[in-house]
Amino acid sequence: MADGGDFITVRRRKSRGKLQGRHNASLACLADVNNNNSTNICKTSDSFYDKPWKDQRRNSHPAKAKSCTELRIVGKAERRHAAGFHTRRCICRWVMSYGRLLWPDQLKLDFSQGCPVCRVSFSTEEALRNHMQKQHGRDFDVMLDVTDRRIVRSTMRLTVKYLARASRMIIRVENYSEVVLILRAVYLFGLDQRLESTFDGVLRMVPGYSYEIEHTVKQCIPNYQYTMILSATVAGSQVELIEQYYVQMLKSTPMAGNQLKMGILPYHHIPQYLIDLYLKEFEHDNHYDRLAMLCLENLRKFNKAGLTPTSYVEHLRLLNMIEDYDLQTTFATYTIPKVTLKPMEQARRYLITLDQFDVPPNLLEEDGYARITVTKHNRNVDNNLEFINGYIDAVNETGIVVTMQAPVRFTLPCRVEFPLNRTQYKLEYEALAHISKIDLDQLLFPKVLAKKRRPVRQVKFDWFQPTIAANAEQVTAIRNIVNMTSYPAPYIIFGPPGTGKTSTIVEAVLQIWRQQPRAHVLVAASSNFACNELTQRLMRFVPEADIFRFFSRSCERNIETIDMEILEISNLATGIYEIPTYEHIYGSRIVVSTVTNCGRLAQAHVIPTFFDYIFIDECGSAKEISALVPIAGVGTEGSKIHASVILAGDPKQLGPVVRFEFLKKTVHNTSLLERLMAQGIYKRDPNTGEFNSLVITKLLDNYRSHKLLIHFSNEWFYEGELRARAASELTDWAINWNCLPNMAFPIIFHSVVGITRVDKQSCSSFNKEEAQKVLFYVQKMLTDGINERQIREQDIGIVSPYRRQVSFLRQGCRNYGWEEIEVGSAEQFQGREKPVIIVSTVRSQRKHVGFLANTRRLNVVITRARCLLIIIGNPDTLQNDPHWYRLLRYIYENNGVRGIDFVLRKPEVNFAAREEEEDFA
């Protein structure tokens, strides 16, 4: 928040526009449009786009060149008075920015009756309105002139609040650039298709300066997408900047009732004997004390026996404490005793450059904690230290950007720390305490079906999703979930890529909602993305009053990326985080939240008998102890198991993320889903080879990809059981593309012999030659399309296992103005899909493939594409691994190879995955 918490900072959103066949250019390119332009223009444009943004915040005050009689400055006292129930938050999403050159006579024109984008003046208001409707439409699509240049980042920031009692908008504009801007106009494209001018004066804005406008509106409709246009010129030049934003107002439903009372989580101290073992890398040492020797003996015994009902709680607690302490130790290495802070343009926002860290801060992520200690005096006196807390706002190639709760006097000696957020671990310890009271054999170690099973009642279903009826496996899973055939043991949905796992979960929840009016369902997933996707699908059929999305506090910072319809049924409905009320939980039939955040329900002592069903999606990628959080204390009470638990996931895809080498060889590296499927009632029948459908269902119909895209994974990971069922109009449009070596085979392996370079600051690898080839394919598809089909930026996903290559490719896309192309690691793409996937393997001229040998990572990477898969890599390096060799052979035999020729050779040694660098996201 800024200025004492009056406004919430709006982050810029990725651009929705596209400039095909044109590179993004800085204003220096604009200056080159006409060689007769003054050198002053060139100097201004160069400083604006080609130099890094300045770090020093100017203290000078802007001078107004002209006053505006319609303008009213809103004081802080009035804002505080208006910040009650009737102040509604508006979500502002940056759409795009572009720059153009104006001639001196154009700057003098009066555009009060003109279009600020097209720079065309009209004689009447009716003519202007017709122009708006025909040329720009309701969403005010910005149309670019051939001389205009796209800008890949916003130069201003827009924040809007609505005063419902007075029907007024408070509009705040902030100069987010490094140069002085002359604000000339702020337009609102309203309900009546008119372009309302909210500010038509001239205002000089130095970097970081913010300005507030109060504008009266006739009507403000929740969820309606308004458009705002900001116009400014760069001081001392003829460069004009135009920015477009979408603004939507929240309904601002108040949190009525008693908020959840969450008790303080115990600290859960790490015992000294475990620290001693950690420091000795869990090797035997005669100097250990008795407790350390006993703990080491237990660890070895536990690891040999695996998880058992008798040692379950103690075993998982020990492993969790090891990981907890390992991360605390790692985060402590990121401490900088004497840090140099570079102030950003925004108040209380500072940049910490990467060269100040003794070790690469690879584990620091957005929303992590930051704490700065300021030494006030050189002498030891009371109150000599000042502690300022904050959070990590951004992590980029330059450094770590932190936002602090108070300004930092960086002229004094400062120390910065990044404490580990231990909330997840505390909730997991609490889950173990709850789970220790129940009969573990029934819930977590089932060997036989319960003798007293509940009767099967619901047999016939009226499907919400008609396609379900034609899928035998989905029908079986939904029928058995609704009828609790596995209770008290969990029911498992084994969902290979693209087989409709999410659709099955949604349909099962909907059938419970319809057929059991008194039943309540908790739906959990590992990520907020998956939770939002589930919520959105459920909302198509369920009334708003029956579903509640429970967000964690950290989601408030990314509120602009969340769909409005989801916000309005959540605890972010007012635009800020609020603790949910008991009425919101008990009054909803369906509650959706992340796995970790579900622990808040047990922490708030929500009635354990309230939820009848608990769904955990993406369970295969969560640690076993993490999967207990939505169950223990939420669906259990004492020794009783009240809720029927449903686990969904795929053990053949990426599992839990475990970084400490010792823990990778323990059960901590195995998910609850994978462990259960390997034993007891969940294993295949040795005689028939079939699963027991009363407790587990494997989905077999793939609705995502072209049949040749899933063939390899189907044969090597799924016993050849998957069936291609995707509609040809969705998956076959890349066939016969002129870039395909085999016109009937939608996979390309482009052979590139690049150089694997290691970034000095992050210690992660990147490959420039592969990146160039990735951008070549992207540019060709965006410019020429595929088989006369226009390719959008949103259709393309770029995957690389190396963090530095991901950032390198993101920057490359930004340089071209491609803001909507998603670039990420395999972990970030799990559960996702794109029509086109381009993979950069990076590894080149090495004897082995490192952690690329992880077969699950390979499976995830090659199953994200719906229509076209392009893999770029060094074949001589990749085929040293047997699984990559099989993939290359599959592509080679189907004539799908481009680039440098190579010879296939079977690897002589089965290289295990060797992680030389901790460099993946």
Side-chain angles (χ1 to χ4, degrees), residues 729-772:
E729 60 269 18
L730 297 178
T731 63
D732 293 4
W733 49 259
I735 297 297
N736 294 321
W737 184 36
N738 56 15
C739 286
L740 291 174
N742 179 353
M743 295 292 189
F745 187 67
I747 303 178
I748 300 173
F749 177 77
H750 200 114
S751 173
V752 175
V753 180
I755 300 174
T756 302
R757 300 169 175 86
V758 178
D759 182 68
K760 293 181 180 180
Q761 292 182 325
S762 66
C763 292
S764 179
S765 300
F766 64 103
N767 190 313
K768 292 182 179 180
E769 292 77 14
E770 288 189 15
Q772 291 171 356

Side-chain angles (χ1 to χ4, degrees), residues 1-9 79 172 174 346-348:
M1 310 222 10
D3 291 348
D6 294 316
F7 283 82
I8 298 176
T9 302
R79 291 207 306 274
R172 177 176 176 172
E174 180 182 0
Q346 300 75 36
R348 312 189 317 276

Side-chain angles (χ1 to χ4, degrees), residues 609-716:
T609 58
F610 178 71
F611 291 108
D612 302 279
Y613 294 84
I614 297 176
F615 288 77
I616 305 179
D617 193 12
E618 298 181 346
C619 189
S621 61
K623 298 179 300 183
E624 174 149 351
I625 191 171
S626 299
L628 299 180
V629 174
I631 303 172
V634 181
T636 65
E637 182 183 24
S639 60
K640 298 180 181 179
I641 307 167
H642 293 288
S644 177
V645 178
I646 299 91
L647 310 178
D650 181 6
K652 301 296 184 180
Q653 296 188 53
L654 285 169
V657 178
V658 178
R659 303 182 185 276
F660 187 37
E661 197 61 37
F662 174 80
L663 294 175
K664 291 179 181 179
K665 303 173 184 177
T666 69
V667 296
H668 209 60
N669 199 30
T670 305
S671 68
L672 172 62
L673 180 87
E674 182 180 1
R675 182 181 66 81
L676 287 177
M677 287 183 60
Q679 62 187 38
I681 57 178
Y682 299 102
K683 294 179 66 175
R684 289 180 184 268
D685 187 295
N687 298 319
T688 64
E690 300 292 331
F691 290 109
N692 184 349
S693 63
L694 294 176
V695 295
I696 181 174
T697 296
K698 180 182 180 181
L699 304 179
L700 301 177
D701 290 344
N702 180 283
Y703 298 103
R704 172 187 295 168
S705 305
H706 188 278
K707 60 182 180 181
L708 295 176
L709 290 175
I710 64 170
H711 177 79
F712 179 82
S713 288
N714 187 24
E715 294 298 320
W716 288 102

Side-chain angles (χ1 to χ4, degrees), residues 156-263:
M156 291 173 275
R157 275 193 176 182
L158 181 71
T159 309
V160 179
K161 280 190 177 182
Y162 179 64
L163 303 181
R165 183 179 298 172
S167 297
R168 290 198 300 268
M169 280 186 175
I170 298 178
I171 303 167
R172 177 176 176 172
V173 181
E174 180 182 0
N175 183 355
Y176 197 55
S177 70
E178 67 159 354
V179 298
V180 178
L181 298 179
I182 307 298
L183 182 65
R184 294 185 176 274
V186 179
Y187 296 97
L188 173 68
F189 196 56
L191 294 169
D192 55 359
Q193 302 262 323
R194 295 185 180 183
L195 199 65
E196 303 176 27
S197 176
T198 66
F199 169 73
D200 55 3
V202 178
L203 178 66
R204 186 175 185 270
M205 303 179 71
V206 297
Y209 179 75
S210 60
Y211 192 69
E212 293 169 9
I213 307 164
E214 194 174 280
H215 178 70
T216 302
V217 292
K218 295 179 180 179
Q219 189 179 15
C220 195
I221 300 176
N223 281 347
Y224 183 85
Q225 183 170 278
Y226 296 84
T227 293
M228 295 199 74
I229 304 293
L230 277 59
S231 174
T233 54
V234 178
S237 78
Q238 296 167 239
V239 176
E240 182 189 34
L241 304 173
I242 302 290
E243 294 202 346
Q244 181 184 5
Y245 293 83
Y246 287 150
V247 179
Q248 290 175 278
M249 185 190 72
L250 290 166
K251 288 182 180 178
S252 189
T253 51
M255 285 287 174
N258 299 314
Q259 291 184 330
L260 299 180
K261 296 181 180 178
M262 301 179 188

Side-chain angles (χ1 to χ4, degrees), residues 427 550-553 577 593-601 629:
L427 291 171
F550 183 11
F551 284 103
S552 63
R553 186 180 297 275
Y577 173 82
S593 190
T594 58
V595 168
T596 299
N597 204 48
C598 285
R600 300 296 191 184
L601 300 175
V629 174

Side-chain angles (χ1 to χ4, degrees), residues 139-361:
D139 294 331
F140 205 94
D141 296 327
V142 173
M143 299 182 66
L144 301 178
D145 186 78
V146 292
T147 60
D148 296 338
R149 290 296 180 265
R150 177 78 166 277
I151 300 172
V152 298
R153 60 186 179 190
S154 60
T155 56
M156 291 173 275
R157 275 193 176 182
L158 181 71
T159 309
V160 179
K161 280 190 177 182
Y162 179 64
L163 303 181
R165 183 179 298 172
S167 297
R168 290 198 300 268
M169 280 186 175
I170 298 178
I171 303 167
R172 177 176 176 172
V173 181
E174 180 182 0
N175 183 355
Y176 197 55
S177 70
E178 67 159 354
V179 298
V180 178
L181 298 179
I182 307 298
L183 182 65
R184 294 185 176 274
V186 179
Y187 296 97
L188 173 68
F189 196 56
L191 294 169
D192 55 359
Q193 302 262 323
R194 295 185 180 183
L195 199 65
E196 303 176 27
S197 176
T198 66
F199 169 73
D200 55 3
V202 178
L203 178 66
R204 186 175 185 270
M205 303 179 71
V206 297
Y209 179 75
S210 60
Y211 192 69
E212 293 169 9
I213 307 164
E214 194 174 280
H215 178 70
T216 302
V217 292
K218 295 179 180 179
Q219 189 179 15
C220 195
I221 300 176
N223 281 347
Y224 183 85
Q225 183 170 278
Y226 296 84
T227 293
M228 295 199 74
I229 304 293
L230 277 59
S231 174
T233 54
V234 178
S237 78
Q238 296 167 239
V239 176
E240 182 189 34
L241 304 173
I242 302 290
E243 294 202 346
Q244 181 184 5
Y245 293 83
Y246 287 150
V247 179
Q248 290 175 278
M249 185 190 72
L250 290 166
K251 288 182 180 178
S252 189
T253 51
M255 285 287 174
N258 299 314
Q259 291 184 330
L260 299 180
K261 296 181 180 178
M262 301 179 188
I264 298 176
L265 293 170
Y267 179 76
H268 291 283
H269 180 72
I270 308 298
Q272 184 60 45
Y273 61 81
L274 196 62
I275 296 175
D276 294 338
L277 293 177
Y278 174 87
L279 296 176
K280 295 289 186 178
E281 298 181 345
F282 299 94
E283 297 291 340
H284 181 78
D285 193 309
N286 293 327
H287 296 90
Y288 288 146
D289 60 19
R290 186 179 63 84
L291 291 177
M293 292 292 290
L294 181 61
C295 180
L296 182 61
E297 182 181 346
N298 285 339
L299 274 173
R300 291 177 175 175
K301 181 173 62 177
F302 291 160
N303 289 339
K304 184 177 181 179
L307 287 175
T308 64
T310 54
S311 64
Y312 185 82
V313 173
E314 183 60 25
H315 191 174
L316 286 184
R317 180 182 285 114
L318 275 175
L319 298 180
N320 214 43
M321 285 193 296
I322 293 171
E323 183 181 46
D324 186 359
Y325 184 74
D326 175 63
L327 286 178
Q328 288 185 57
T329 304
T330 303
F331 274 64
T333 63
Y334 302 151
T335 299
I336 305 176
K338 294 182 180 180
V339 66
T340 300
L341 301 174
K342 293 186 177 181
M344 308 289 284
E345 290 85 357
Q346 300 75 36
R348 312 189 317 276
R349 204 161 179 254
Y350 306 92
L351 172 67
I352 303 172
T353 55
L354 291 178
D355 57 6
Q356 299 185 70
F357 290 91
D358 292 333
V359 296

